Structure formats: C-alpha cells, structure tokens
Amino acid sequence: MLKLKFNSLKELNKVLIDCRRCPRLVRWREKIAREKVPRFKDWNYWGRPVPGFGSKEAELLIIGLAPAAHGGNRTGRMFTGDRSGDWLYRALYKFGFANQPVSISKNDGLKLNNCYITAIVRCAPPENKPTSKEISNCNFYLKNEIELLKNIKVIITLGELAFKTTIKTLNELGFEKIDGNLKFSHSNVVTFSKNDKENLKLICSYHPSQRNTFTGKLTEKMFDEIFSTARKFLSDVG
C-alpha cells in the first residue's frame, strides 16, 4: 500500500521511481524504452517514472505536464534531452536559476539554484495526453512535494493542464486565492495564501512545446518575461 505522506523528497522519489499505478502509462513508457528511436539507439532508456529535482530549499517551483517519451523517459531527469528543455534551461540560466543553459543527461553537471522542477504526471503519456485518472493517480506526489518544499514563494506552471491541476492541488492543501484570475492565460498571476501566512505567487505560462515555439505562440521574449517576473517577486519578498 502506498504511503500518503512522505518525510523527505528522497523518500518520495524512492517510492515514485517504482510506481506502477497507471497500466497504460507503464506499458507506454516501457515500450518506448525498448523500441527507442534510431538517433538514441545506443542509449539505455530510463523507462520509469521521472522524479522531480533541484534544491530542497528552493523558493521557485516549476511544474510541467509530463516527461517526454525520448526526453525525460530516456534520460531520467525532467525536461532533459528534449526541445522543451532547451527552452526551459536557457531561461533558467539567463535568470540565475541554473548554472548552465543546457540539460543533456543526468551527468552533465547541471545544478539548479533556488529552484525545483517537477510535473503533474511522472510517466511519459501517449501523444503527451495523460487522462484525468492518471493525473489524479499521480497527484499525491505533487501534494507531498509542495508540502515538503517549505520555502516555495513562486510557482511557474507550464501549460493549461499544469495550471489547472496546480490550482486544484493548492486548494486541497488549504491555500486560498486572494488575488488574480483563475482563467488560463500566458503571464497571468494568481496570489494564494494559507492561514494568513506569506503569499504564494502562481505564474501561468504557455508550455515550451515544439507546437507552441515553432508556431510562434510562445516566443523567447515571452518566456523570458515569465522568469523575469518570478525573479522580481523573489527579490521583493527576499
């Protein structure tokens, strides 16, 4: 029986990487890991749930959708080895949240500064579309992460599903909206509070998917502005 509460991120991730709660996702992630693609034929794919990573003291939390089939599902690290990650780590580096602008493998020397990265679903889903049940199955990992990351002051959600799921999760954890619009739109900011303590800022961004970046729906300037806003909020409360 799965624990509903974890005492540390290390304990959470140890349980997470062996999770098999979603049969469809288990079949898909393992199929991809076996069959691979020609350009990665020499890789030993991770093929398991992908844990979050970063600083346990982080003030910035980034929440994505799910690992990419030949990105995180291959490398074992969130947003590592795919085009979305190219955009994300370039922005993190620009604004001082990472020590380098690229993320290729778990052993590439990347370190996050005051930042933690996770997702609402930890296994690569077919067509990048997890079901509502799969999101629900994975949600207690996200809840535990938010509770264990005691210093979080700003959350950036990447994409509409991550935005809506994060809001629902925060509400279930006792956070209440005190300012902002709960409608998904790029650069939207919502402020939450819990027990009249310090405010938590949630910044909404389009996901840096190829669909969004290739079509110009999300530009580098637009994405940079998200992290500029996050940096400003952290400076204001620091």
Side-chain angles (χ1 to χ4, degrees):
M1 183 174 179
L2 282 170
K3 291 182 65 172
L4 296 180
K5 290 283 185 180
F6 297 96
N7 296 316
S8 68
L9 291 169
K10 183 178 180 179
E11 181 188 19
L12 184 155
N13 287 334
K14 184 178 180 180
V15 173
L16 168 71
I17 63 174
D18 289 325
C19 185
R20 301 181 69 84
R21 298 188 78 194
C22 303
R24 186 183 78 116
L25 298 189
V26 172
R27 289 193 301 270
W28 179 252
R29 78 192 190 206
E30 293 179 354
K31 178 177 185 292
I32 293 296
R34 287 193 308 271
E35 298 179 357
K36 308 181 183 183
V37 289
R39 69 184 183 279
F40 297 130
K41 63 182 177 62
D42 295 328
W43 273 78
N44 182 19
Y45 274 53
W46 173 253
R48 302 166 77 180
V50 180
F53 84 106
S55 170
K56 64 181 180 181
E57 307 297 331
E59 295 178 300
L60 174 64
L61 175 62
I62 297 170
I63 302 177
L65 173 61
H70 302 287
N73 187 55
R74 170 174 60 90
T75 63
R77 191 168 73 189
M78 287 288 181
F79 286 98
T80 296
D82 59 53
R83 295 290 180 86
S84 295
D86 292 344
W87 276 66
L88 177 59
Y89 292 108
R90 182 173 61 207
L92 290 173
Y93 177 73
K94 281 183 184 179
F95 292 93
F97 294 110
N99 69 328
Q100 61 189 45
V102 295
S103 182
I104 301 169
S105 74
K106 288 203 293 185
N107 300 314
D108 61 9
L110 173 71
K111 293 184 180 179
L112 299 182
N113 304 316
N114 203 22
C115 176
Y116 195 89
I117 299 176
T118 189
I120 61 171
V121 171
R122 311 311 172 92
C123 297
E127 299 181 351
N128 292 319
K129 294 179 180 179
T131 66
S132 58
K133 176 62 174 175
E134 289 161 352
I135 294 172
S136 177
N137 282 348
C138 218
N139 190 246
F140 76 101
Y141 292 121
L142 180 61
K143 282 182 180 176
N144 273 269
E145 281 176 329
I146 292 174
E147 290 195 306
L148 289 167
L149 292 164
K150 303 293 187 182
N151 298 326
I152 294 299
K153 295 178 174 64
V154 177
I155 297 176
I156 295 174
T157 56
L158 303 177
E160 187 169 6
L161 263 179
F163 177 71
K164 290 181 176 179
T165 301
T166 301
I167 289 173
K168 182 175 182 292
T169 303
L170 289 174
N171 288 337
E172 291 175 355
L173 288 172
F175 287 87
E176 295 183 358
K177 186 198 84 165
I178 60 173
D179 189 42
N181 190 329
L182 295 180
K183 183 177 180 181
F184 175 81
S185 62
H186 185 77
S187 75
N188 180 31
V189 176
V190 186
T191 304
F192 291 87
S193 183
K194 183 177 181 179
N195 300 328
D196 297 323
K197 293 184 179 179
E198 292 183 11
N199 294 340
L200 175 67
K201 300 286 189 181
L202 189 154
I203 308 172
C204 176
S205 173
Y206 289 137
H207 193 285
S209 63
Q210 290 188 60
R211 178 183 298 176
N212 289 336
T213 58
F214 281 9
T215 61
K217 183 176 183 179
L218 178 66
T219 66
E220 188 172 346
K221 180 181 178 183
M222 290 167 64
F223 203 46
D224 283 354
E225 287 172 351
I226 296 295
F227 293 89
S228 176
T229 299
R231 177 58 74 190
K232 179 180 182 300
F233 284 149
L234 291 178
S235 297
D236 288 346
V237 298

